[in-house]
């Protein structure tokens, strides 16, 4: 089985490649990654001969076409993925998330290759804090940020290519991931690395916004379950019932790292900040039998903290630049 993994040097993609090599002995993986600021070659260290890396852009037809022609399956993770960056400069989000997805869809259409599209629950907009509802596959699209709008657009392209051209595709929309290899611009690794540096964690606004946390390894086992058992043309929501407000997450990180849980700062809020995300994963569970394995957030977070402590060489070079960008915005 030959698999093309786009964005395989990023957070979720690199974890997916590690899991695929470990769990699928027949798999040969080609990673296509542009190695933007978010891609890190060392995330793929030690994987051996079954993984090949091609440095290139998913929005470039001539790069994409021969790679897609040579595989049985494309799993598309590559994206500009950070909301705060999309507020500073939306243009790479349009290019990579929309034009890049378009080029991949055209290539899988030409070569008749199975395609799985990785997306986010943010396409559904947000829920009120006191609303008992969760997102389901029937929730209307209502994205808030340039990032989530570009992901929503890419999902709609996939649906159109299934309906109009018979492309064999599935889509998954997952909630917030945590775990090893996540870029330190993101909430959890930013706070862990701040504390390693003796800096207080930074909470946007009042910190009451809720995210539905899932361990990255559970996201990836769900992706494989959909590839193996999902119905072509269908959308599956991936989540593990991990709702927590940001304040509680910061307090837990502080406690697990040996600090007073109130030792954090409130900083400027994100413009348009989505209030709450929550996933109803019933369809995924009933169709595929998938179950999350990392249900204990406290122990998953403790392992993640240990990973950032043990792998300072992986993130250190980016820390000053990331913090300078946040500081310029009072964050
Ligand atoms: P990431 O930013 O860590 O990694 C993205 C990777 O894509 C990087 O390696 C980068 O170099 C690569 N890339 C960017 N532009 C490219 C281009 N034009 N051509 C080729 N490669 C390119 O992102 P992530 O957090 O691992 O997210 C992966 C996917 O999962 C994205 O599609 C994202 O929307 C989705 N997602 C993420 C989360 C989350 O919590 N992180 C949740 C749900 C869905
Ligand atoms: O320093 C911070 N302080 C803070 O309070 C940062 C960086 C974030 N936050 C808040 C904003 C969010 O409410 O924490 C929450 C999580 O922030 P991010 O890590 O930026 O994630 P989010 O915006 O929720 O989006 C993530 O989940 C969905 C991923 O980055 C997306 O790629 C994915 O689609």
């Amino acid at each position: 089985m030959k698999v093309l993994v786009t964005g395989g040097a990023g957070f979720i993609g690199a974890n997916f490649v590690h899991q695929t090599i470990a769990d699928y002995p027949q798999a040969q993986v080609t990673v296509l990654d542009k190695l933007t600021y978010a891609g890190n070659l060392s995330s793929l260290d030690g994987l051996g001969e079954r993984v090949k890396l091609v440095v290139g852009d998913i929005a470039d037809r001539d790069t994409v076409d021969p790679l897609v022609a040579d595989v049985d399956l494309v799993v598309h993770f590559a994206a500009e993925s950070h909301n705060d960056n999309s507020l500073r400069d939306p243009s790479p989000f349009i290019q990579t998330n929309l034009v890049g997805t378009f080029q991949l869809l055209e290539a899988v259409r030409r070569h008749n290759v199975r395609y799985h599209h990785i997306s986010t629950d943010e396409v559904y907009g947000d829920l009120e804090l006191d609303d008992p509802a969760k997102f389901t596959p029937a929730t209307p699209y209502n994205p808030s940020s340039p990032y989530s709008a570009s992901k929503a657009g890419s999902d709609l392209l996939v649906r159109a290519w299934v309906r109009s051209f018979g492309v064999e595709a599935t889509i998954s929309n997952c909630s917030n991931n945590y775990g090893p290899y996540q870029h330190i611009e993101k909430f959890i690794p930013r706070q862990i690395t701040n504390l390693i540096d003796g800096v207080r964690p930074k909470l946007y606004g009042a910190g009451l916004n809720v995210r539905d946390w899932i361990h990255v390894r559970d996201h990836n086992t769900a992706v494989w379950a959909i590839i193996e058992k999902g119905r072509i043309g269908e959308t599956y929501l991936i989540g593990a019932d991990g709702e927590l407000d940001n304040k509680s997450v910061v307090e837990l990180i502080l406690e697990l790292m040996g600090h007073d849980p109130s030792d954090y700062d409130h900083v400027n809020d994100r413009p348009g900040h989505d209030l709450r995300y929550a996933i109803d994963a019933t369809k995924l569970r009933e169709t595929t039998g998938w179950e999350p394995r990392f249900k204990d957030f406290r122990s998953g977070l403790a392992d993640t903290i240990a990973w950032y402590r043990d792998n300072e060489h992986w993130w250190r070079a980016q820390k000053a630049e990331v913090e300078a960008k946040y500081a310029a915005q009072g964050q």
Side-chain angles (χ1 to χ4, degrees):
M1 176 181 51
K2 289 177 160 180
V3 188
L4 179 66
V5 178
T6 71
F11 164 44
I12 306 174
N15 278 284
F16 182 83
V17 176
H18 280 274
Q19 288 174 247
T20 299
I21 291 300
D23 298 345
Y24 293 82
Q26 313 302 329
Q28 299 281 340
V29 175
T30 300
V31 169
L32 171 59
D33 198 296
K34 193 178 171 183
L35 296 181
T36 68
Y37 80 96
N40 193 329
L41 261 186
S42 68
S43 303
L44 296 171
D45 278 353
L47 283 166
E49 308 234 314
R50 286 163 57 209
V51 179
K52 192 176 97 185
L53 173 73
V54 177
V55 178
D57 191 335
I58 55 164
D60 179 34
R61 184 191 193 280
D62 295 342
T63 301
V64 164
D65 192 74
L67 295 174
V68 170
D70 188 43
V71 295
D72 310 301
L73 167 70
V74 174
V75 188
H76 175 35
F77 292 92
E80 285 292 334
S81 69
H82 192 37
N83 276 299
D84 292 322
N85 292 342
S86 81
L87 298 166
R88 290 185 199 115
D89 177 12
S91 80
F93 289 75
I94 304 305
Q95 180 64 17
T96 288
N97 300 357
L98 287 168
V99 179
T101 298
F102 162 71
Q103 290 297 355
L104 287 165
L105 286 169
E106 285 290 81
V108 294
R109 178 186 166 202
R110 278 192 296 275
H111 300 291
N112 205 14
V113 172
R114 172 83 167 86
Y115 173 90
H116 182 75
H117 185 74
I118 303 292
S119 192
T120 168
D121 59 358
E122 297 192 20
V123 300
Y124 299 112
D126 61 353
L127 299 158
E128 294 296 328
L129 294 178
D130 59 359
D131 184 348
K134 296 184 174 201
F135 298 137
T136 75
T139 306
Y141 274 36
N142 187 25
S144 311
S145 73
Y147 162 68
S148 49
S150 68
K151 292 296 294 187
S154 73
D155 294 8
L156 298 180
L157 291 177
V158 180
R159 291 184 184 193
W161 262 242
V162 169
R163 170 108 184 219
S164 301
F165 305 123
V167 160
E168 294 209 358
T170 39
I171 299 175
S172 54
N173 297 80
C174 189
S175 59
N176 283 62
N177 286 219
Y178 74 100
Y181 302 111
Q182 185 168 29
H183 196 280
I184 55 165
E185 68 190 353
K186 303 297 195 315
F187 178 51
I188 287 178
R190 182 182 182 207
Q191 315 312 335
I192 295 170
T193 54
N194 273 353
L195 283 169
I196 291 172
D197 281 354
V199 173
R200 287 159 67 96
K202 310 293 179 200
L203 204 49
Y204 292 177
L208 300 179
N209 306 61
V210 171
R211 297 294 181 263
D212 190 353
W213 294 100
I214 182 171
H215 194 282
V216 63
R217 297 189 67 173
D218 282 333
H219 181 178
N220 285 329
T221 55
V223 169
W224 269 117
I226 294 164
I227 292 166
E228 288 171 345
K229 298 179 189 156
R231 286 188 294 268
I232 296 300
E234 296 281 317
T235 290
Y236 297 88
L237 271 58
I238 305 174
D241 298 319
E243 279 186 72
L244 268 182
D245 65 40
N246 294 338
K247 185 167 166 290
S248 302
V249 174
V250 158
E251 287 168 352
L252 187 54
I253 293 171
L254 279 156
E255 185 206 320
L256 290 169
M257 294 183 74
H259 295 266
D260 183 324
S262 63
D263 269 353
Y264 58 83
D265 295 331
H266 291 281
V267 295
N268 288 341
D269 208 348
R270 173 184 286 171
H273 196 172
D274 279 343
L275 286 175
R276 172 174 160 254
Y277 306 137
I279 289 279
D280 176 346
T282 306
K283 178 178 172 183
L284 167 69
R285 288 174 187 242
E286 288 183 351
T287 308
T288 69
W290 170 85
E291 285 291 331
R293 287 181 44 227
F294 298 86
K295 289 183 207 164
D296 180 351
F297 183 68
R298 188 187 175 89
S299 81
L301 192 57
D303 288 348
T304 304
I305 291 167
W307 190 87
Y308 282 90
R309 279 199 166 119
D310 293 345
N311 291 280
E312 190 168 331
H313 62 278
W314 183 88
W315 57 266
R316 172 55 66 196
Q318 283 125 31
K319 185 67 179 165
E321 192 184 337
V322 166
E323 290 306 318
K325 277 192 196 159
Y326 281 126
Q329 298 173 174
Q331 291 180 321

